[in-house]
Coordinates of all heavy atoms in Angstrom, one line a residue:
P722 N -4.3 16.0 4.5 CA -4.7 15.2 5.6 C -5.3 13.9 5.1 O -6.1 13.9 4.1 CB -5.7 16.0 6.4 CG -5.4 17.4 6.1 CD -4.9 17.4 4.6
V723 N -4.9 12.8 5.7 CA -5.4 11.5 5.3 C -6.9 11.4 5.7 O -7.2 11.5 6.9 CB -4.6 10.3 5.9 CG1 -5.2 9.0 5.5 CG2 -3.2 10.4 5.4
D724 N -7.8 11.2 4.7 CA -9.2 10.9 5.0 C -9.6 9.8 4.1 O -8.7 9.2 3.4 CB -10.0 12.2 4.8 CG -10.0 12.7 3.3 OD1 -9.5 12.0 2.4 OD2 -10.4 13.8 3.1
E725 N -10.8 9.4 4.0 CA -11.3 8.3 3.2 C -11.0 8.4 1.7 O -10.8 7.4 1.0 CB -12.8 8.1 3.4 CG -13.1 7.6 4.8 CD -12.4 6.3 5.2 OE1 -12.3 5.3 4.4 OE2 -11.9 6.2 6.3
S726 N -10.9 9.7 1.2 CA -10.6 9.9 -0.2 C -9.2 9.4 -0.6 O -9.0 9.1 -1.8 CB -10.9 11.3 -0.6 OG -9.9 12.2 0.0
I727 N -8.2 9.4 0.3 CA -6.9 9.0 -0.1 C -6.4 7.9 0.8 O -5.2 7.4 0.6 CB -5.9 10.2 0.0 CG1 -5.7 10.8 1.4 CG2 -6.3 11.3 -1.0 CD1 -4.6 11.8 1.6
K728 N -7.2 7.4 1.7 CA -6.7 6.4 2.7 C -6.1 5.1 2.0 O -5.0 4.7 2.3 CB -7.8 6.0 3.6 CG -7.4 5.0 4.7 CD -8.5 4.7 5.6 CE -8.1 3.7 6.7 NZ -9.2 3.4 7.6
E729 N -6.8 4.6 1.0 CA -6.3 3.4 0.4 C -5.0 3.6 -0.4 O -4.1 2.8 -0.3 CB -7.4 2.8 -0.5 CG -8.6 2.2 0.2 CD -8.2 1.1 1.2 OE1 -7.4 0.2 0.9 OE2 -8.7 1.2 2.3
Q730 N -5.0 4.7 -1.0 CA -3.7 5.1 -1.7 C -2.6 5.2 -0.8 O -1.5 4.7 -1.0 CB -4.0 6.4 -2.5 CG -3.0 6.8 -3.5 CD -3.3 8.1 -4.2 OE1 -4.3 8.8 -3.9 NE2 -2.5 8.4 -5.2
V731 N -2.8 5.9 0.4 CA -1.7 6.1 1.4 C -1.3 4.7 2.0 O -0.1 4.5 2.2 CB -2.2 7.1 2.5 CG1 -1.3 7.1 3.6 CG2 -2.3 8.5 1.9
L732 N -2.3 3.8 2.2 CA -2.0 2.5 2.8 C -1.1 1.7 1.9 O -0.4 0.8 2.4 CB -3.3 1.8 3.1 CG -4.0 2.2 4.4 CD1 -5.4 1.6 4.4 CD2 -3.2 1.9 5.6
S733 N -1.0 2.0 0.6 CA -0.2 1.2 -0.3 C 1.3 1.6 -0.3 O 2.1 1.0 -0.8 CB -0.7 1.3 -1.7 OG -0.5 2.6 -2.2
L734 N 1.6 2.7 0.5 CA 3.0 3.2 0.5 C 3.9 2.3 1.4 O 3.4 1.8 2.4 CB 3.0 4.6 1.1 CG 2.3 5.7 0.3 CD1 2.3 7.0 1.1 CD2 3.0 5.9 -1.1
H735 N 5.1 2.2 1.0 CA 6.1 1.5 1.8 C 7.5 2.0 1.3 O 7.7 2.5 0.2 CB 6.0 0.0 1.6 CG 6.1 -0.5 0.2 ND1 7.4 -0.7 -0.4 CD2 5.2 -0.8 -0.7 CE1 7.1 -1.1 -1.7 NE2 5.9 -1.1 -1.9
G736 N 8.5 1.9 2.2 CA 9.8 2.2 1.9 C 10.5 1.2 1.1 O 9.9 0.2 0.7
A737 N 11.8 1.4 0.8 CA 12.5 0.5 0.0 C 13.0 -0.7 0.8 O 13.0 -0.7 2.0 CB 13.8 1.2 -0.6
K738 N 13.3 -1.8 0.1 CA 13.8 -3.0 0.7 C 15.1 -2.6 1.5 O 15.9 -1.8 1.1 CB 14.2 -4.0 -0.3 CG 14.6 -5.3 0.3 CD 14.7 -6.4 -0.8 CE 15.0 -7.7 -0.3 NZ 14.0 -8.4 0.5
G739 N 15.1 -3.1 2.8 CA 16.2 -2.7 3.7 C 15.9 -1.6 4.6 O 16.6 -1.3 5.6
Q740 N 14.8 -0.9 4.4 CA 14.4 0.2 5.2 C 13.3 -0.2 6.3 O 12.8 0.6 7.0 CB 13.8 1.4 4.4 CG 14.9 2.0 3.5 CD 14.3 3.1 2.6 OE1 13.1 3.1 2.3 NE2 15.2 4.0 2.2
E741 N 13.0 -1.5 6.2 CA 12.0 -2.0 7.2 C 12.5 -1.8 8.6 O 13.7 -1.9 8.9 CB 11.8 -3.5 7.0 CG 11.3 -4.0 5.6 CD 12.5 -4.2 4.7 OE1 13.7 -4.0 5.0 OE2 12.2 -4.7 3.6
G742 N 11.6 -1.4 9.5 CA 12.0 -1.1 10.9 C 12.5 0.3 11.1 O 12.6 0.7 12.3
Y743 N 12.6 1.1 10.1 CA 13.0 2.5 10.3 C 11.8 3.3 10.6 O 11.9 4.3 11.3 CB 13.7 3.1 9.1 CG 15.1 2.6 8.9 CD1 15.7 2.6 7.6 CD2 15.9 2.1 9.9 CE1 17.0 2.2 7.4 CE2 17.2 1.6 9.7 CZ 17.7 1.7 8.4 OH 19.0 1.3 8.2
V744 N 10.6 2.9 10.2 CA 9.4 3.7 10.5 C 8.2 2.6 10.5 O 8.3 1.6 9.7 CB 9.1 4.8 9.4 CG1 8.8 4.2 8.0 CG2 8.0 5.7 9.9
E745 N 7.3 2.9 11.3 CA 6.1 2.0 11.4 C 5.4 2.0 10.1 O 5.5 2.9 9.3 CB 5.2 2.4 12.6 CG 5.8 2.2 13.9 CD 6.7 3.4 14.4 OE1 7.1 4.2 13.5 OE2 7.1 3.4 15.6
S746 N 4.6 0.9 9.9 CA 3.8 0.9 8.6 C 2.8 2.0 8.7 O 2.4 2.5 9.7 CB 3.1 -0.5 8.5 OG 2.1 -0.6 9.5
V747 N 2.3 2.4 7.5 CA 1.3 3.4 7.4 C 0.0 2.9 8.1 O -0.6 3.7 8.8 CB 1.0 3.7 5.9 CG1 -0.2 4.7 5.8 CG2 2.2 4.4 5.3
A748 N -0.3 1.6 8.0 CA -1.5 1.1 8.6 C -1.4 1.2 10.1 O -2.3 1.7 10.8 CB -1.7 -0.4 8.3
Q749 N -0.2 1.0 10.7 CA 0.0 1.1 12.2 C -0.1 2.6 12.5 O -0.7 3.0 13.6 CB 1.4 0.6 12.6 CG 1.7 0.8 14.0 CD 0.8 0.1 15.0 OE1 0.3 -1.0 14.7 NE2 0.5 0.6 16.1
C750 N 0.4 3.5 11.7 CA 0.4 4.9 12.0 C -1.1 5.4 12.0 O -1.5 6.1 12.9 CB 1.1 5.7 10.9 SG 2.9 5.5 11.0
L751 N -1.9 5.0 11.0 CA -3.3 5.4 11.0 C -4.1 4.9 12.1 O -5.0 5.5 12.6 CB -3.9 5.0 9.6 CG -3.3 5.7 8.4 CD1 -4.0 5.3 7.1 CD2 -3.3 7.2 8.5
K752 N -3.7 3.6 12.6 CA -4.4 3.1 13.7 C -4.1 3.9 15.0 O -5.0 4.2 15.8 CB -3.9 1.6 13.9 CG -4.6 0.9 15.1 CD -4.1 -0.5 15.2 CE -4.8 -1.2 16.4 NZ -4.3 -2.6 16.5
E753 N -2.9 4.3 15.1 CA -2.5 5.2 16.2 C -3.2 6.5 16.2 O -3.6 7.1 17.2 CB -1.0 5.3 16.3 CG -0.2 4.1 16.7 CD 1.3 4.2 16.7 OE1 1.8 5.4 16.8 OE2 2.0 3.2 16.5
A754 N -3.3 7.1 15.0 CA -4.0 8.4 14.8 C -5.4 8.3 15.1 O -6.0 9.3 15.6 CB -3.8 8.8 13.3
Q755 N -6.1 7.1 14.9 CA -7.5 7.0 15.3 C -7.6 7.0 16.8 O -8.6 7.4 17.4 CB -8.0 5.7 14.7 CG -8.4 5.8 13.3 CD -9.1 4.5 12.8 OE1 -8.7 3.4 13.1 NE2 -10.2 4.7 12.1
A756 N -6.6 6.4 17.5 CA -6.7 6.3 19.0 C -6.3 7.6 19.7 O -6.6 7.7 20.9 CB -5.8 5.2 19.4
R757 N -5.6 8.5 19.0 CA -5.1 9.7 19.7 C -5.2 10.9 18.7 O -4.5 10.9 17.7 CB -3.6 9.5 20.1 CG -3.1 10.7 20.9 CD -1.8 10.4 21.5 NE -1.4 11.6 22.2 CZ -0.5 11.6 23.2 NH1 0.1 10.5 23.6 NH2 -0.1 12.8 23.7
A758 N -6.1 11.8 19.1 CA -6.4 12.9 18.2 C -5.2 13.9 18.0 O -5.2 14.7 17.1 CB -7.6 13.7 18.8
D759 N -4.1 13.8 18.8 CA -3.0 14.6 18.7 C -2.2 14.4 17.3 O -1.5 15.3 16.9 CB -2.0 14.4 19.8 CG -2.5 14.7 21.2 OD1 -3.4 15.6 21.2 OD2 -2.1 14.1 22.1
W760 N -2.4 13.2 16.8 CA -1.7 12.9 15.5 C -2.3 13.5 14.3 O -3.5 13.6 14.2 CB -1.7 11.4 15.3 CG -0.8 10.6 16.2 CD1 -1.1 9.6 17.0 CD2 0.7 10.7 16.3 NE1 0.0 9.0 17.6 CE2 1.1 9.7 17.2 CE3 1.6 11.5 15.6 CZ2 2.4 9.5 17.5 CZ3 2.9 11.3 16.0 CH2 3.3 10.3 16.9
R761 N -1.5 13.9 13.4 CA -2.0 14.5 12.1 C -1.3 13.7 11.0 O -0.1 14.1 10.6 CB -1.7 16.0 12.0 CG -2.4 16.7 13.1 CD -2.6 18.2 12.8 NE -3.4 18.8 13.8 CZ -3.3 20.0 14.2 NH1 -2.3 20.7 13.7 NH2 -4.0 20.5 15.2
P762 N -1.9 12.7 10.5 CA -1.3 12.0 9.3 C -1.6 12.7 8.0 O -2.7 13.2 7.8 CB -2.0 10.6 9.4 CG -3.3 10.9 10.1 CD -3.1 12.1 11.0
V763 N -0.6 12.8 7.2 CA -0.8 13.5 5.9 C -0.1 12.7 4.8 O 0.9 12.0 4.9 CB -0.2 14.9 5.9 CG1 -0.9 15.8 6.9 CG2 1.3 14.9 6.2
G764 N -0.7 12.7 3.6 CA -0.1 12.2 2.4 C 0.7 13.4 1.8 O 0.4 14.5 1.9
I765 N 1.9 13.0 1.3 CA 2.8 14.0 0.7 C 2.6 13.9 -0.9 O 2.9 12.8 -1.4 CB 4.2 13.7 1.1 CG1 4.4 13.8 2.6 CG2 5.2 14.8 0.4 CD1 5.7 13.3 3.1
F766 N 2.2 15.0 -1.5 CA 1.9 15.0 -2.9 C 2.8 15.9 -3.7 O 3.1 17.0 -3.2 CB 0.5 15.4 -3.2 CG -0.5 14.3 -2.8 CD1 -0.9 14.1 -1.5 CD2 -1.1 13.5 -3.8 CE1 -1.9 13.2 -1.2 CE2 -2.0 12.5 -3.5 CZ -2.4 12.3 -2.2

């Protein structure tokens, strides 16, 4: 689960060039997760 210990690391993630628009930015996702408790954002390790 994304918490303060991995948040900055997770925010640095992005897809490859040409994949823009396929998924919202991690920053946008985390903002949505703050606004709605139903979301569960996770880092994949």
Side-chain angles (χ1 to χ4, degrees):
V723 176
D724 62 14
E725 290 304 316
S726 69
I727 65 169
K728 184 177 180 180
E729 290 305 315
Q730 194 178 4
V731 169
L732 282 168
S733 71
L734 296 174
H735 57 85
K738 189 169 179 71
Q740 295 175 337
E741 304 87 354
Y743 288 158
V744 66
E745 292 81 351
S746 71
V747 174
Q749 178 64 33
C750 294
L751 294 181
K752 182 178 178 183
E753 290 177 25
Q755 281 186 314
R757 184 170 178 159
D759 299 331
W760 286 121
R761 296 204 176 142
V763 294
I765 302 169
F766 286 82

